[in-house]
C-alpha cells in the first residue's frame, strides 16, 4: 500500500487517459492521497470501472475535442466548484520513423499528444486563474528530451515540453504551476505494444536495469499536484531509471 498522507485532501483532480495504464494508477494514487478524482478517457467501460474504484466520477473526454473539454470542465466545476489539478496524461504511440513516414499517422499523434495537451491547458486555465491556484502536470516522455526514432511521437513530446514552459511563464503570476514529467520504459500496454524484442532492447539500455511500474511515475505526479511542490513551475522531472544518461 502506498503512503497515504492526505496531501491531496479535498483537491479536485482531473486526469485524462485514466481508464488504464499510468492514468488509472494516478487516479488510484490521487484518491489514496485524499483527492476527488475526475476520471476521463474514451474507453468508457474501463474508465467507469476505475471511477467506481476510486469513488470518483467518469467523464467521456476525447482530448482532441475542444467541445468535449468545454463540457467536462463545466461539469466538474458545476459539481465540485473548482479544479485544483489537471494531469494531461492521455497519449498514443505510433512508431513511424523519418524512413517510413506516414502523414496521417503523424497528424493523428500530434492531434492527441500535442493538441490534446494544448486544449487541456487552455480549457482549465481560466478556472485556475479565477481560483488563484492550480497545478497542471503534462506527461511528456524521454522522447521529448532527445532524438527518438518515432518521429511524430518525438515531435509531440518535445512540443509538450515547450508548451509546458510557455504556460508556466504565463500562468506563474496567477499561482498556477505547470510542469512536465518524462517517463522512460513504463509497464503499460503502450510499452507491451512495442513487441517483446523492442521492449527488451529498451529495458536493457536502462542503467537501473529494469522498467518501472506506473505508480513510480504516479509518485512524481502526486508530488507536483500537491502543495509540497508549491514553488515548482516549468520544471521537467525525468522518471526513467537513468535511460537518457546513455
Ligand atoms: N508506457 C511508457 O513506457 C511511456 C513512456 C513515456 C511516456 N508515456 C506517456 O504516458 C502517458 C500514458 O500512457 P500509458 O503508458 O499509460 O499508455 P496506455 O496506452 O496504457 O494509456 C493511454 C490512455 O490514453 C487514452 N487515450 C488515447 N487517446 C485518447 C484520446 N484521444 N482522448 C482521451 N484519452 C485517450 C487511452 O484510452 C488509454 O487509456 C502517455 O502520454 C504516454 O505517451 C508512456
Amino acid at each position: 500500500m502506498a503512503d497515504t498522507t492526505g496531501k491531496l485532501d479535498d483537491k479536485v483532480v482531473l486526469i485524462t487517459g485514466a481508464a488504464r495504464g499510468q492514468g488509472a494508477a494516478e487516479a488510484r494514487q490521487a484518491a489514496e492521497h485524499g483527492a476527488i478524482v475526475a476520471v476521463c478517457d474514451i474507453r468508457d467501460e474501463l474508465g467507469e470501472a476505475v471511477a467506481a474504484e476510486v469513488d470518483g466520477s467518469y467523464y467521456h473526454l476525447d482530448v482532441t475535442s475542444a467541445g468535449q473539454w468545454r463540457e467536462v470542465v463545466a461539469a466538474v466545476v458545476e459539481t465540485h466548484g473548482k479544479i485544483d489539478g489537471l494531469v494531461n496524461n492521455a497519449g498514443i504511440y505510433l512508431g513511424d520513423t523519418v524512413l517510413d513516414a506516414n502523414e496521417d499517422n503523424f497528424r493523428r499523434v500530434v492531434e492527441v499528444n500535442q493538441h490534446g495537451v494544448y486544449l487541456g491547458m487552455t480549457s482549465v486555465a481560466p478556472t485556475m486563474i479565477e481560483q488563484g491556484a492550480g497545478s497542471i502536470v503534462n506527461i511528456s516522455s524521454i522522447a521529448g528530451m532527445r532524438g527518438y526514432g518515432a518521429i511524430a511521437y518525438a515531435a509531440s513530446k518535445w512540443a509538450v515540453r515547450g508548451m509546458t514552459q510557455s504556460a508556466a511563464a504565463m500562468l506563474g503570476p496567477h499561482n498556477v504551476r505547470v510542469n512536465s514529467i518524462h517517463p522512460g520504459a513504463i509497464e503499460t500496454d503502450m510499452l507491451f505494444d512495442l513487441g517483446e524484442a523492442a521492449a527488451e532492447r529498451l529495458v536493457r539500455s536502462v542503467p537501473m536495469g529494469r522498467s518501472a511500474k506506473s505508480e513510480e511515475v504516479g509518485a512524481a505526479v502526486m508530488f507536483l499536484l500537491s502543495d509540497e511542490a508549491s514553488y515548482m513551475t516549468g520544471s521537467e522531472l525525468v522518471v526513467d531509471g537513468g535511460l537518457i544518461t546513455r
Side-chain angles (χ1 to χ4, degrees):
M1 183 78 169
D3 72 314
T4 49
T5 59
K7 67 184 175 192
L8 299 183
D9 265 353
D10 301 323
K11 287 194 190 290
V12 177
V13 175
L14 192 160
I15 306 175
T16 69
R20 70 176 195 184
Q22 294 174 60
E26 287 152 14
R28 293 186 188 101
Q29 287 171 291
E32 282 168 8
H33 285 297
I36 298 158
V37 186
V39 174
C40 302
D41 209 295
I42 48 177
R43 293 176 200 267
D44 296 337
E45 213 171 303
L46 283 177
E48 272 162 12
V50 173
E53 209 185 306
V54 303
D55 210 11
S57 309
Y58 176 73
Y59 299 89
H60 179 92
L61 172 60
D62 181 336
V63 294
T64 68
S65 163
Q68 288 181 25
W69 269 109
R70 263 193 304 278
E71 283 168 20
V72 170
V73 168
V76 173
V77 172
E78 163 103 17
T79 308
H80 301 292
K82 59 176 186 165
I83 299 179
D84 300 294
L86 166 66
V87 185
N88 279 313
N89 163 78
I92 58 172
Y93 176 90
L94 296 174
D96 322 33
T97 73
V98 71
L99 299 175
D100 56 4
N102 173 308
E103 196 181 347
D104 288 341
N105 286 352
F106 188 94
R107 286 186 195 281
R108 181 67 194 148
V109 170
V110 166
E111 186 71 11
V112 177
N113 295 6
Q114 177 176 339
H115 195 199
V117 170
Y118 158 80
L119 287 176
M121 291 198 295
T122 53
S123 301
V124 304
T127 300
M128 290 182 169
I129 289 171
E130 203 181 315
Q131 294 166 182
S135 171
I136 298 173
V137 182
N138 293 328
I139 306 302
S140 175
S141 167
I142 52 153
M145 305 298 287
R146 65 176 194 186
Y148 198 78
I151 190 162
Y153 191 74
S156 68
K157 294 301 188 180
W158 275 86
V160 168
R161 193 176 167 198
M163 291 192 296
T164 300
Q165 298 274 313
S166 305
M170 297 311 293
L171 296 176
H174 302 281
N175 192 35
V176 176
R177 300 181 293 102
V178 191
N179 296 285
S180 59
I181 291 192
H182 301 262
I186 315 302
E187 294 157 15
T188 68
D189 287 311
M190 189 176 285
L191 180 67
F192 305 141
D193 288 349
L194 292 178
E196 211 170 309
E200 271 177 19
R201 238 189 344 268
L202 182 66
V203 172
R204 261 202 309 275
S205 66
V206 177
M208 288 186 76
R210 65 174 180 88
S211 48
K213 303 275 181 228
S214 292
E215 289 74 13
E216 297 181 85
V217 177
V221 175
M222 297 308 117
F223 168 64
L224 289 174
L225 287 174
S226 79
D227 297 339
E228 288 174 0
S230 55
Y231 199 52
M232 287 181 69
T233 195
S235 73
E236 298 163 343
L237 289 190
V238 177
V239 185
D240 73 342
L243 185 50
I244 60 163
T245 61
R246 283 196 171 146

